[in-house]
Amino acid sequence: MTAIYKRELKTYFTTVTGWLFIAAHVCLAGLYFFVINLLSGYGNVADTVSSILFLLLLSTPVLSMRILAEERKQKTDQLILTAPVSVSQIVAGKYLAMATVFTVPVAVMALFPMILTGYGTVQLGESYTAILVYYLFGLTCLAVGLFISSLTESQVIAAVLSFAVLFVGYMMSSIMSLLPASATVLKKILSAFDFYTRLSDLLGGTLDLKAVLYFLTLIAVFLFLTVQSIQKRRYQISVKTLQFGAYSTGMTALVVAIAVFVNLAASALPERYTTLDVTSQKLYSLTDTTKNLVKNLTEDVTIYVLESEDGQDPTLCKTLASYAALSDHVQVVNKDPVISPEFYKSYADSITINSLIVESDKRFKTIDYSDIYETSFDYTTYQSSVTGYDAEGLLTSAIAYVAGDSAPVIYELNGHNEGTISSTFVAGLKKENADLADLTLLTSDAVPEDADGVILFAPENDLTEDDADKLIAYLEQGGSLFIATSYVDRFSEDMPNLSKVLAYFGVSVGDGLIVEQNRERMYQSPIYLLPEVSSDTLTSGVYGSDYDYVMMPYAQPIFVEEDENVEVNTLLSTSEDSYAKSGLNESDDIEQNADDPAGPFAVGIHAVKEQESGSAQLILYSSPMLFTDGTNQYTMDNNLRLFTNAVSSMTGETESVSVPVKSYDISYLTVPSASAIRYGILFMAVLPVGMLVTGIVIWIRRRKR
C-alpha cells in the first residue's frame, strides 16, 4: 500500500493536477474569507465554509477522475491487477493519496479562525467544526469519485458521472420536498442519500455524531464498492471466468445492510449522547436550570406540538427531544392540524402552526410559535432578521408554571418618578411565572397581603413619610423588597424617607459617584464598573461561571452598620483602587481628592432581618443602569440573571427558572482595511499563484528529462 500511495502522491505533485487543485481551493476559500470575514467582519468561519461547500461537487471529480480510469485506458491497470498486492491495499493507497492532496488546502483554511482572533471574538468551536465538516464531506466526495473512476476508462465520463451523483445527493432534500406527503416510504429510501440535510445540521452549530457516522460509513461503503469493482476485473483477467465469491453481490448487499443498520441504531440513541453544541451561546443545549427543573418533576407534563412530525420546525424538534430525554414525566405529542383541526380550540381562540401547548393535571400554558424566535427589523433595508431563540426559556417557564402552585405576585411601586423596567427584564420576570402589578401607596392603605415582593426601581423623588412607614410595616410582616436606586449626589439629605427604609436593615447609600481606577474592573470609562461578583444564591449562574462579568455604570457606595439581627451579604463590590467622588454632575474633574472616600465599596447587597413575624429581606443595588438592555448585552445576560435571581428569591423559589433568550447575533470583528487587503492578497494571489507556478515548473522539468 505504501508504494502505491507514494506513487500516486508523486504523480499528483509532478504534474499540474495536484497543484492546480490546491491552488484553486486556496484561492476560492481565500476570496470568500476576504469578503465574508475580513471585509464584512463576520466572526464565524462557518459562513465561509457554507459558501464554498458546493465547490467540492466540482473539484473532487477532477481530482479523482483519472485515479483508476486513466490506468484502465492506458492498460497499466493490468500490472496492478496481476501484482501480489491485495485490492484493498491498492484502493487504500490511491484514496489516501487523494486525501493527502485535499488535506493541504483544508490545512490552509484552518489558519483562518486563528487569524481572526486578533481582531475580536471568534466562534472557534463553530468555525473549526465547519472546517471539519468540509474536510469530511470532501473525503466522502473523493470516495464516490474513486468508485465511479473504477467503472470506466474515460476520465470525462468519470468526472461527469461523479458530479451527477454528488449533485443529486446534495439536492436530495429539495427533490424529496417535491414528492407528495403520502410517499413516506420513498422519502425514507431517498433520505439515505441526502447530503444537504446532514451538512446543514453539522454547519448549524451542532456536531451531530450521527451525521459524522453517516459520512464515515458512506466512505467505507464506496471504498468497499471500489474494491469489489476492481476485484471483479482482477479475477476476470486471471481466470477468464467470474468465480463465485470473487465479486459477490451478496457480500455487497451485506455490507450495505450493515451500514444501514449501524446508522439506524445510531439514530435511535438519545440526542444528548450524539449531539455536541459547539456554539458560543450554547444555542442548542439545555442549561443546568432546565435540567434541574425537569429531572425533579413529580407531575406528568405533556407538550403538544401543533404540527405533524414531518412539518415540524427541526430546531424546535431537537429542543423538545432534549426535554423528553431528561424525564419520563415529559411527553411530546404532535397534533397534525390537518387530522385534528379543532384540537387547539380547547386552549386558545387562535394559534399559529408549530405552536406549543404545555399541560399538566393542574393547568396549561400556550406558547405561540411567533414568540419562540426573537426578530428585529432594519428600517434602512426594510428587512427583518432572526436575532434570538427562546424555546428553552419559554418551555422551562411553562413547565414550572403548569407543574407548580399558583403564580406569585410582584408589585412595582409608583408615584415617585420611577424609571421603567426594560422589556428584557420584564420578560425575565414573567419567565419566573410571576405577575407584575402596579402599586401606589398614596391610594392604598398598605402593601397588599398577596404581595410576594415589592420593586422600587430608580425613584428620582423621595418617598413620603407615609409611604416609608407602609413599606416598613410590610417588612415587619416578613416582606421582600427589591430596590435599585438612582444617582443622587447627596443621597441621605435628598432621600431621607427612602434612607429610613434602608436603615431598617442597617444599610445606607453613600454620597457621590464611584470612580474605578483598576482597569480590570471598569469598561472604557472609570464610572462604568465591572464589579467583583461574590458567592450568594442571588448571584447563582454568574459567580464562578466562565464569564462572570456584570456591567454597572453610575453606581454609588453602599455602607453597612453592624446589627446582630441582620445578616448582610455583599453581592457586588469595587476594587480597593476605587473612590467616591461628589459633585460629578457639576464638574468633569474626576481626580481623587483627600476627602474622597476610598474603596472598596459594596454596590449590591442582600440583607435578611430575622424577626418574630418572619424573615424580611432587602435586595439593594445602587444603580438602575445595571438592569438595562444596553448593559446586559455586554455581559451575556449576567445582568439579567441577577434580576431574575432576585425575583426568584422574593417569590420563595430556591432557584430561578428564567432562561435568557439565546442570541443569534453575530459577533462582528474590526479588521483594518490594510490588514484585510494584505491577507486577501496572500490567500487569493500569492499562495495560489506560487503553488501553480511551482507545479508548472516541476511539470516542465519532468518533461525535459
Side-chain angles (χ1 to χ4, degrees):
M1 185 188 79
T2 304
I4 294 174
Y5 168 74
K6 291 180 178 179
R7 171 179 173 269
E8 293 297 331
L9 195 62
K10 182 179 179 181
T11 300
Y12 279 120
F13 286 107
T14 54
T15 61
V16 182
T17 305
W19 293 103
L20 179 61
F21 176 86
I22 296 172
H25 261 272
V26 172
C27 181
L28 287 173
L31 172 62
Y32 280 92
F33 174 63
F34 173 70
V35 174
I36 295 175
N37 299 114
L38 297 175
L39 286 186
S40 300
Y42 284 84
N44 191 351
V45 177
D47 299 304
T48 299
V49 172
S50 299
S51 301
I52 64 174
L53 204 60
F54 192 82
L55 170 66
L56 293 173
L57 307 185
L58 300 170
S59 61
T60 52
V62 174
L63 189 65
S64 63
M65 64 183 184
R66 56 150 295 278
I67 192 76
L68 288 171
E70 179 67 12
E71 292 207 29
R72 186 171 178 179
K73 182 179 180 180
Q74 300 295 332
K75 307 301 182 183
T76 56
D77 62 327
Q78 297 184 23
L79 297 176
I80 297 178
L81 294 174
T82 56
V85 181
S86 68
V87 176
S88 58
Q89 289 179 321
I90 296 171
V91 172
K94 288 179 174 290
Y95 179 73
L96 289 176
M98 291 192 297
T100 302
V101 175
F102 178 58
T103 301
V104 176
V106 175
V108 174
M109 291 171 59
L111 299 175
F112 293 169
M114 300 309 299
I115 291 172
L116 296 177
T117 55
Y119 304 102
T121 303
V122 180
Q123 286 85 4
L124 291 176
E126 295 171 73
S127 296
Y128 278 111
T129 298
I131 293 173
L132 175 63
V133 171
Y134 183 84
Y135 187 56
L136 185 62
F137 183 54
L139 294 178
T140 304
C141 293
L142 290 175
V144 173
L146 178 64
F147 168 65
I148 294 177
S149 181
S150 70
L151 301 177
T152 178
E153 62 180 28
S154 171
Q155 294 187 46
V156 175
I157 293 176
V160 172
L161 286 179
S162 296
F163 170 76
V165 172
L166 295 174
F167 180 77
V168 170
Y170 192 79
M171 299 299 295
M172 186 58 71
S173 61
S174 299
I175 295 172
M176 289 191 297
S177 66
L178 300 175
L179 298 175
S182 58
T184 53
V185 176
L186 180 59
K187 285 184 177 180
K188 287 184 178 180
I189 295 173
L190 293 177
S191 66
F193 206 61
D194 180 7
F195 293 162
Y196 185 79
T197 300
R198 294 172 174 89
L199 290 170
S200 298
D201 292 341
L202 289 167
L203 292 173
T206 57
L207 181 56
D208 189 345
L209 299 182
K210 289 182 287 188
V212 172
L213 177 64
Y214 168 80
F215 286 112
L216 290 177
T217 53
L218 207 60
I219 292 172
V221 166
F222 275 101
L223 291 180
F224 175 79
L225 292 176
T226 305
V227 170
Q228 290 292 84
S229 175
I230 298 175
Q231 190 81 287
K232 177 181 178 181
R233 297 189 61 248
R234 185 178 194 179
Y235 271 77
Q236 284 178 330
I237 291 172
S238 60
V239 300
K240 302 294 174 74
T241 59
L242 180 61
Q243 294 182 353
F244 181 79
Y247 179 75
S248 173
T249 303
M251 182 62 69
T252 301
L254 177 62
V255 170
V256 173
I258 292 173
V260 171
F261 174 78
V262 169
N263 281 273
L264 288 176
S267 65
L269 295 174
E271 292 282 340
R272 64 179 183 274
Y273 297 129
T274 61
T275 303
L276 302 176
D277 188 348
V278 296
T279 61
S280 57
Q281 292 281 339
K282 298 301 177 185
L283 293 172
Y284 307 112
S285 56
L286 301 181
T287 62
D288 290 338
T289 298
T290 295
K291 292 177 182 177
N292 293 336
L293 172 70
V294 176
K295 287 179 179 179
N296 293 323
L297 277 177
T298 56
E299 300 279 341
D300 289 335
V301 175
T302 303
I303 304 174
Y304 294 104
V305 186
L306 299 184
E307 182 56 286
S308 64
E309 291 186 17
D310 291 338
Q312 188 176 346
D313 181 321
T315 303
L316 182 58
C317 181
K318 289 182 178 181
T319 301
L320 292 172
S322 298
Y323 275 87
L326 286 176
S327 173
D328 293 335
H329 288 289
V330 177
Q331 183 181 11
V332 179
V333 178
N334 287 82
K335 287 291 183 179
D336 191 339
V338 176
I339 300 174
S340 307
E342 304 291 323
F343 175 78
Y344 75 90
K345 291 186 177 180
S346 301
Y347 304 92
D349 294 332
S350 63
I351 198 167
T352 57
I353 299 297
N354 264 311
S355 294
L356 309 175
I357 299 170
V358 184
E359 185 177 30
S360 71
D361 291 337
K362 297 179 179 178
R363 59 184 69 86
F364 70 87
K365 191 172 187 178
T366 60
I367 301 174
D368 197 274
Y369 183 65
S370 60
D371 296 327
I372 291 176
Y373 289 95
E374 189 179 71
T375 60
S376 64
F377 188 79
D378 189 341
Y379 288 95
T380 59
T381 61
Y382 295 98
Q383 293 181 340
S384 61
S385 59
V386 178
T387 58
Y389 179 61
D390 199 22
E392 183 186 357
L394 295 172
L395 275 167
T396 298
S397 176
I399 291 173
Y401 171 73
V402 302
D405 298 323
S406 58
V409 181
I410 302 294
Y411 284 91
E412 183 181 5
L413 193 58
N414 296 318
H416 314 93
N417 201 20
E418 285 86 358
T420 302
I421 303 176
S422 67
S423 58
T424 299
F425 292 85
V426 172
L429 182 144
K430 291 183 177 178
K431 284 182 181 178
E432 294 292 332
N433 296 311
D435 293 329
L436 184 64
D438 291 330
L439 173 63
T440 304
L441 290 176
L442 179 64
T443 58
S444 301
D445 295 333
V447 175
E449 292 183 359
D450 65 343
D452 290 275
V454 175
I455 294 177
L456 178 57
F457 189 77
E460 293 187 3
N461 300 328
D462 191 22
L463 306 176
T464 65
E465 186 174 355
D466 185 54
D467 291 346
D469 291 338
K470 291 176 181 177
L471 284 178
I472 292 174
Y474 165 68
L475 293 171
E476 288 175 343
Q477 299 301 314
S480 296
L481 186 59
F482 174 93
I483 301 177
T485 59
S486 288
Y487 169 61
V488 178
D489 193 47
R490 302 292 178 184
F491 193 91
S492 58
E493 297 178 8
D494 295 338
M495 297 281 190
N497 293 315
L498 179 53
S499 296
K500 178 182 175 181
V501 175
L502 300 180
Y504 182 76
F505 293 92
V507 301
S508 61
V509 176
D511 297 333
L513 200 65
I514 295 177
V515 179
E516 181 63 80
Q517 294 298 293
N518 186 333
R519 293 191 174 275
E520 294 185 359
R521 288 295 163 193
M522 69 177 187
Y523 179 75
Q524 295 183 350
S525 170
I527 58 177
Y528 274 64
L529 311 181
L530 300 176
E532 182 178 352
V533 182
S534 301
S535 176
D536 191 272
T537 55
L538 292 176
T539 58
S540 176
V542 181
Y543 175 80
S545 64
D546 293 335
Y547 188 86
D548 60 356
Y549 287 106
V550 297
M551 184 184 291
M552 190 177 191
Y554 301 100
Q556 293 184 266
I558 298 175
F559 298 109
V560 180
E561 297 180 2
E562 292 288 339
D563 189 330
E564 61 180 11
N565 296 321
V566 180
E567 180 183 353
V568 180
N569 289 335
T570 298
L571 304 177
L572 305 177
S573 58
T574 64
S575 76
E576 60 184 13
D577 297 325
S578 62
Y579 57 91
K581 184 75 175 178
S582 298
L584 280 181
N585 56 340
E586 302 172 0
S587 171
D588 293 330
D589 181 16
I590 63 171
E591 293 296 324
Q592 184 177 12
N593 297 325
D595 56 346
D596 291 333
F601 301 111
V603 289
I605 61 99
H606 179 208
V608 178
K609 186 171 185 177
E610 299 295 339
Q611 47 198 9
E612 293 183 0
S613 57
S615 300
Q617 74 166 329
L618 169 69
I619 303 167
L620 173 64
Y621 292 100
S622 62
S623 171
M625 296 291 289
L626 179 66
F627 305 111
T628 62
D629 292 344
T631 55
N632 183 61
Q633 68 180 355
Y634 285 96
T635 64
M636 296 179 65
D637 290 315
N638 279 345
N639 287 23
L640 176 60
R641 286 186 181 89
L642 292 181
F643 182 79
T644 55
N645 286 344
V647 174
S648 178
S649 178
M650 287 191 290
T651 58
E653 297 293 336
T654 56
E655 185 178 1
S656 169
V657 295
S658 177
V659 178
V661 178
K662 296 182 177 181
S663 176
Y664 277 165
D665 286 342
I666 300 170
S667 58
Y668 286 92
L669 310 174
T670 304
V671 184
S673 298
S675 298
I677 293 173
R678 186 163 55 246
Y679 283 118
I681 293 174
L682 174 65
F683 290 113
M684 291 188 295
V686 175
L687 286 179
V689 171
M691 292 173 181
L692 195 57
V693 169
T694 301
I696 293 173
V697 170
I698 293 174
W699 176 69
I700 292 174
R701 287 183 176 179
R702 182 170 174 269
R703 290 197 64 182
K704 288 182 177 180
R705 291 178 182 176

